[in-house]
Amino acid sequence: MSLNDTFKVGYVLKRYPRYSETFVVSEILAHEATGLAIEIFALRPPVDAYFQNIISEVRAPVKYLLSYDLRGSTLWATLEQASAIFPELWSKLAIARGEDVHDVYQAILLACEARTRGIAHLHAHFGTSATTVARLASHFAEIPYTFTAHAKDIFHESVQPDDLERKLRDAAAVVTISDYNLNYLNETYGQAAAKVQRIYNGLDLNQFTYASPQNRPLRIIAVGRLIEKKGFTYLIEACDLLRTRGYEFECHIVGAGDAKEDLQAQIEALNLQSDVALIGPRPQREIIEIVQSAAVLAAPCVVGTDSNRDGIPTVLLEAMALGTPCVSTDVTGIPEVLRHQETGLMVPQHDAIALAKALEKLLTDAQLRVKLATQARKVIETNFDIHCNAAHLRTIFRAAPVEAVQEVR
């Protein structure tokens, strides 16, 4: 009997599935390809109107830990039932002091599910509510937990340093997705971040076949949620500059989000309707085709006014794998994959003029497109293969000792 036959991991997610979180799905699929048993626990139901096609490939069952009605009798009855499984639950509840009652309730449900389903390890994505629930459930069920910290959960103005420090300290191990994040966590949280290590998000490269950008239509593509940190307002400004200079091109922005109306109004105010289009969300298969049909992908990411920012955008990795040269900015971990004039072109944040110049270079210089795309693909193959990176993650899961679960402080 192999280790995979007896070792079962519970993935804890705030919502599942989510249109924008293909990196989670790819990671789970890579685990399942090796025979690792996965079960998914979601704190909330999905709210997206669109879902990526690869979700249908996931075999793991999904359990929703819903907490809509928490009247005293419901919570009390759940505690009584759980204490039959965990006789020391009442004394362990001290760890939940100050936590949101919904998180505590869901953690109790998760602990019970973990015990009855034979879950040996819990792994959460994002150091927010999913990790809160995983941490508490880990304590109640006496199994270790780990989590992956991304970007918003580290940098956003809503992050509570004391809370994140507890999670870093109590986890058996912590993963983050860039060296930038790793350095920030070490500098900010000191010894509490001693167990953090960097594992890049990855791609299944069999799904992202390279094609030369030598002969591409004069098309700019951008993909992402229509929110401030994506910087699409600067892309629209850059397109206006290109049009003013007499260039013929088209720009398609794929995605949905709260900024849609503002971006559409900007397009109309600049009279760019014939050049720039917001084409809404698309399934991943179609996004692959769209990205690979473009001469350049623009990812003009910025640090938002609320300190929100991207980690390393998945679409940037996908474009580089597919052979589409990229223009981006120096936000967080992006320079670790997009190296200026080597694997792409880097421009300053908030700088539409520089962005327009970089786009112009790639629209007009096929030789430069090929050079950057060729070198970018090599970097993706070396550092961002999901099967290699997920294997590293599995070694962390299996090495996590039960003693890593900390007592209440």
Side-chain angles (χ1 to χ4, degrees), residues 170-380:
D170 289 354
V174 180
V175 171
T176 194
I177 62 164
S178 70
D179 289 328
Y180 181 97
N181 287 4
L182 177 62
N183 293 335
Y184 173 85
L185 290 170
N186 282 323
E187 291 170 4
T188 305
Y189 295 96
Q191 187 57 35
K195 292 175 284 186
V196 182
Q197 54 188 293
R198 186 268 293 153
I199 301 178
Y200 288 126
N201 286 338
L203 303 176
D204 182 349
L205 296 178
N206 294 322
Q207 304 298 317
F208 295 88
T209 304
Y210 177 87
S212 171
Q214 175 77 39
N215 300 306
R216 298 276 183 95
L218 299 183
R219 181 178 302 128
I220 302 164
I221 187 70
V223 182
R225 286 180 293 152
L226 307 184
I227 55 177
E228 181 192 11
K229 71 177 182 178
K230 297 297 182 181
F232 292 149
T233 184
Y234 301 102
L235 175 57
I236 295 170
E237 287 183 33
C239 288
D240 183 48
L241 293 171
L242 288 172
R243 199 248 333 245
T244 301
R245 294 173 191 164
Y247 288 101
E248 292 186 4
F249 67 94
E250 59 182 4
C251 176
H252 293 167
I253 301 175
V254 179
D258 295 340
K260 179 180 179 180
E261 291 185 5
D262 290 340
L263 293 173
Q264 186 61 45
Q266 182 185 7
I267 291 168
E268 293 173 3
L270 294 171
N271 196 26
L272 287 172
Q273 296 94 317
S274 62
D275 304 296
V276 182
L278 306 178
I279 65 173
R282 293 287 192 274
Q284 189 177 50
R285 286 195 186 99
E286 189 173 341
I287 289 176
I288 289 173
E289 294 174 0
I290 291 171
V291 169
Q292 207 163 49
S293 72
V296 55
L297 178 128
C301 305
V302 300
V303 177
T305 53
D306 57 1
S307 296
N308 195 11
R309 65 198 75 177
D310 267 307
I312 301 177
T314 301
V315 71
L316 198 62
L317 305 179
E318 293 174 349
M320 295 172 75
L322 291 167
T324 302
C326 300
V327 177
S328 193
T329 62
D330 64 349
V331 169
T332 59
I334 292 174
E336 295 170 39
V337 61
L338 193 149
R339 301 159 192 166
H340 185 53
Q341 295 186 332
E342 181 183 342
T343 62
L345 297 181
M346 187 77 69
V347 298
Q349 297 177 54
H350 311 283
D351 192 336
I353 295 173
L355 178 58
K357 289 179 179 178
L359 293 172
E360 178 186 342
K361 282 184 181 180
L362 290 173
L363 289 171
T364 59
D365 189 340
Q367 193 171 17
L368 177 61
R369 291 201 300 267
V370 172
K371 172 191 169 185
L372 297 178
T374 302
Q375 294 174 162
R377 173 72 188 198
K378 291 177 181 177
V379 169
I380 297 298

Side-chain angles (χ1 to χ4, degrees), residues 16-17 25 29 32 51-60 285:
Y16 181 86
V25 179
L29 288 172
E32 290 187 333
F51 299 107
Q52 300 291 9
N53 52 280
I54 61 171
I55 289 169
S56 65
E57 300 174 23
V58 174
R59 299 190 301 272
R285 286 195 186 99

